[in-house]
Amino acid sequence: MTILFYILLFLHIVGASMVVGVWIANMKTPTVHPRQRDGAFVQLITGIAMMGILPVLHNQNPAEFDPNYFKLGIKFAVGLAVAVLAVIGARKVKKGEAVSKGLAHGVGGLALLNVAIATLWQ
């Protein structure tokens, strides 16, 4: 079960890299790329899966796996906002419409905020 958790964590980080990396790459001409939407969904799916595994891991090893459900709830809410904004932006790009700077920076900035919450909040 621990190996599965760390594989999911790896994929979760890859999803964050997809969202934040494309955002940084397009900083001069802000837009939302479909890969950002994919990365946001990867983060949501793997995050939910990790939250489901945490109680089992906590029972096996309480010292290593002690979940903070308040923090995880905030991360879920921010991740859901990133996914919604990324879907809106990707649909605009697909239709050939302009993506506002606020929308593009909202996707990348909120994803970066989620990374900060994950790493800085102990």
Side-chain angles (χ1 to χ4, degrees), residues 28-42:
K28 286 190 177 184
T29 56
T31 189
V32 177
H33 195 276
R35 295 300 76 82
Q36 287 178 293
R37 178 200 57 215
D38 299 342
F41 283 133
V42 166

Side-chain angles (χ1 to χ4, degrees), residues 60-102:
Q60 292 175 354
N61 189 354
E64 185 177 352
F65 297 99
D66 188 20
N68 180 344
Y69 290 108
F70 184 70
K71 171 184 168 181
L72 295 174
I74 290 174
K75 282 187 51 56
F76 176 72
V78 173
L80 194 58
V82 170
V84 168
L85 292 175
V87 166
I88 292 169
R91 284 185 180 172
K92 284 183 175 255
V93 167
K94 187 176 181 179
K95 291 180 183 177
E97 299 175 6
V99 176
S100 70
K101 288 182 180 182

